[in-house]
Amino acid sequence: MWESLIGKAKEGGIDVIETYVFWNLHEPKPGQYDFSGRNDLVKFIKEVQAQGLYACLRIGPFIESEWTYGGLPFWLHDVPDIVYRTDNEPFKKYMQNFVTKIVDMMKAESLYASQGGPIILSQVENEYGNVEAAFQEEGKAYVEWAAKMAVDLQTGVPWVMCKQPDAPDPVINSCNGMRCGETFAGPNSPSKPALWTENWTSFLQRYGEETYLRSAQDIAFHTLLFIIAKNGSFVNYYMYHGGTNFGRSGAAYMVTQYYDQAPLDEYGLIREPKWSHLKEMHAAVKSCSSTLLNGVQTNISLGQLQQAYVYEDSTAEGNNCAAFLVNNATTNATVEFRNAKFELQPRSISVLPDCEKVAFDTAKVNAAISNRIATTSKTLNGADHQWEEYREAIPTFSDTTMQFNQIEEQTNITKDSTDYLWYTLSFQPNATSCTEPKLQVKFLSHLVYAFVNGEYAGNSTGQRNAVLVEAPISLSESKNDVSILSVMVGLWDSGPFMEKRYAGLTEVEIQCKENTYNVTSYEWGYQVGFLGESLGIYTQENTDKVKWNPLSDSSSANNDPSPRWFRTTFDAPKGDEPVALNLTSMGKGQVWVNGESIGRYWMTIKTKQGNPSQTMYHIPREFLNTTDNLLVILEESNGDPLQITVSTISTTQLLNPKSRYSTIR
């Protein structure tokens, strides 16, 4: 999809493609690198170059980005004495190794602008100013070290630190946010330009949240304000295209689609009016760019909340004047500028490339609104789509080979190889009776499911504090098997001391009317993930390693909340439109198509309006065969696969106003 996406960005007036570099993708094990396929960073930068654009390489290598573990590889967690992102020798060693590796790769292919390549900026670290205070003096020392380490690599192009007011010379401090024309304190040295590394076109979305909508007018207004009020010379849209968090790459609670409201949506389709409105703005700015760069700026008051930013270049031939008329009021304003009257819309900026005629008005949207349509190609039920299921066994203590005399932290056991960890216990009351028994579980994971003697007892969803499962259970007088499935929906992506963060169960009690048993320090057995995961039954070559049984009807899927796998095959829809699965009928789990993970889904957690945060799941055409595509689903609870549909995605124009004004959100 790279060529098409970059081409649409260029057509929209974009000059620079900015990308993070994902340490956990590229160095999955210490010293073992992966730059193949979708991880081919050099190929990506060369595609940018082939289309005549520049690149900004945000190496980090901590990136946050709503990406699991902030892009850090989890193997760092087990490095002795390590503390992330501070003046800590083990962390600095591995960070420097990776940054040097990336820089050397770019140099070897002559990809820096100093070598004639497209890379004009690089970034080290990411929003460290948010956490620096937590590390006190060691944080300040780390900033100095990171800046020097990067500059000493001698790329020949500038380095940036975003949200880092104290970025050491010559590293440039830059702004992230939605209002940098108002909030940015400016470069910390007169020799540095004003850069905006993240102009948020929407915002991150967690499961249980509605999509954040930011209008095209708002984006345009604040982009222009940054240019004129802060002498801004670089604005990066975050995101111009966000795409999909395939696999388990999304951070804690993050939905699988990413910044779908960007000018290019998750599928790479143009989202209007954002794309066209920004394209018009880009053209207007570029039409007077020489005057902006070389002219002298003067500010003229046009009213209490109205102002003109005027640029005049006395050395230029011909037209040498450009003006930006700003209305900061929430009402219309009529102003006089150079003996002409202008009607300014609320919270708007009008661009006059010749100081006479308005070429662009941030509040005036000329583009049509696009309406995205999902057209059902097929429903995956009936004779043509025979579903099969494989039920995961609920493990007991005697099934496990890993056992400890206490409850263990989840990621210490899983090493983030899976979202899932089974905690198992063999329990027998030591009193003569246990009436009205209840199971109470405290946990710091995102979701737990509890089973007693193979029977489902209950579940609970966590947020950011320890929460409870409290469920009535049935106990026998002899041995009882307690099995608790702890689930993480991605790891943390930010904050200090991430290496110390805790996931999993924290305390378990079995409460009887006569007595309470705190079993936290009993001997517990552990099973990492599911058997189907370890066997890779979502791939064509391994899918028959377990015994699948026919799924007779939807009721058999809905009545049993224990985890199970579903599989079927389907043919790709004809044509070249993007393809998606509608998973509204499912509960929570993960999906694979032809062995490629298209991400996590979570339908059972709702927004305040009572809807799932995401129902459509993108399958890139490149993942599909013409026929017999293998679809495998890991369902944790009680989803109904017989209602899944395959859809194609397209857009139509909802309306096409000739001159429609709108106030910004």
Side-chain angles (χ1 to χ4, degrees), residues 525-545:
Y526 298 87
Q527 177 181 300
V528 175
F530 295 113
L531 178 61
E533 283 184 291
S534 62
L535 294 177
I537 64 172
Y538 44 82
T539 64
Q540 192 68 57
E541 57 269 27
N542 295 322
T543 191
D544 289 327
K545 286 189 173 181

Side-chain angles (χ1 to χ4, degrees), residues 208-312:
E209 296 177 348
E210 296 285 352
T211 301
Y212 184 93
L213 302 178
R214 188 182 181 198
S215 70
Q217 299 94 313
D218 189 53
I219 299 170
F221 176 85
H222 286 281
T223 299
L224 290 181
L225 189 64
F226 180 76
I227 293 171
I228 60 178
K230 302 295 183 181
N231 294 316
S233 60
F234 177 92
V235 179
N236 174 69
Y237 300 110
Y238 191 96
M239 306 289 293
Y240 198 79
H241 169 70
T244 307
N245 288 321
F246 294 117
R248 301 172 51 248
S249 59
Y253 290 107
M254 295 300 164
V255 298
T256 295
Q257 63 188 19
Y258 191 61
Y259 273 75
D260 183 43
Q261 291 292 318
L264 298 179
D265 72 9
E266 179 188 9
Y267 304 94
L269 299 174
I270 289 173
R271 182 176 290 283
E272 298 287 21
K274 278 184 183 175
W275 187 87
S276 290
H277 195 56
L278 296 179
K279 179 180 180 179
E280 291 178 28
M281 181 191 68
H282 301 152
V285 171
K286 290 176 182 180
S287 70
C288 56
S289 59
S290 178
T291 307
L292 283 172
L293 288 168
N294 302 310
V296 176
Q297 184 193 75
T298 57
N299 299 341
I300 303 170
S301 175
L302 303 177
Q304 188 174 3
L305 293 172
Q306 294 76 38
Q307 190 172 17
Y309 290 79
V310 183
Y311 300 80
E312 295 184 277

Side-chain angles (χ1 to χ4, degrees), residues 85-98:
R85 305 175 69 205
T86 188
D87 190 22
N88 172 266
E89 292 305 320
F91 181 75
K92 292 192 298 183
K93 168 190 169 182
Y94 288 108
M95 173 177 168
Q96 184 168 4
N97 287 348
F98 183 75

Side-chain angles (χ1 to χ4, degrees), residues 477-502:
E477 294 182 1
S478 57
K479 179 177 72 73
N480 294 274
D481 291 313
V482 178
S483 306
I484 303 170
L485 179 63
S486 177
V487 185
M488 292 295 291
V489 188
L491 298 184
W492 324 274
D493 67 344
S494 59
F497 306 110
M498 283 174 52
E499 71 284 346
K500 296 180 180 178
R501 297 287 292 272
Y502 189 99

Side-chain angles (χ1 to χ4, degrees), residues 256-257 266-267 374-380 385 387 566 568-573 578-586 590-594 596-601 603 614-620 623-624 629-634 641 643-649:
T256 295
Q257 63 188 19
E266 179 188 9
Y267 304 94
T375 303
T376 300
S377 171
K378 59 195 70 180
T379 301
L380 298 185
H385 300 286
W387 283 95
F566 302 113
T568 192
T569 59
F570 67 96
D571 296 342
V579 179
L581 288 179
N582 186 330
L583 299 178
T584 305
S585 64
M586 301 304 291
Q590 300 178 40
V591 190
W592 292 262
V593 175
N594 294 327
E596 299 280 0
S597 172
I598 62 170
R600 303 181 177 103
Y601 64 88
M603 303 300 150
Q614 179 181 351
T615 58
M616 304 300 294
Y617 284 77
H618 181 206
I619 313 173
F623 289 1
L624 293 171
N629 294 283
L630 176 65
L631 171 61
V632 178
I633 299 175
L634 171 56
Q643 305 304 314
I644 293 175
T645 59
V646 179
S647 299
T648 55
I649 308 297

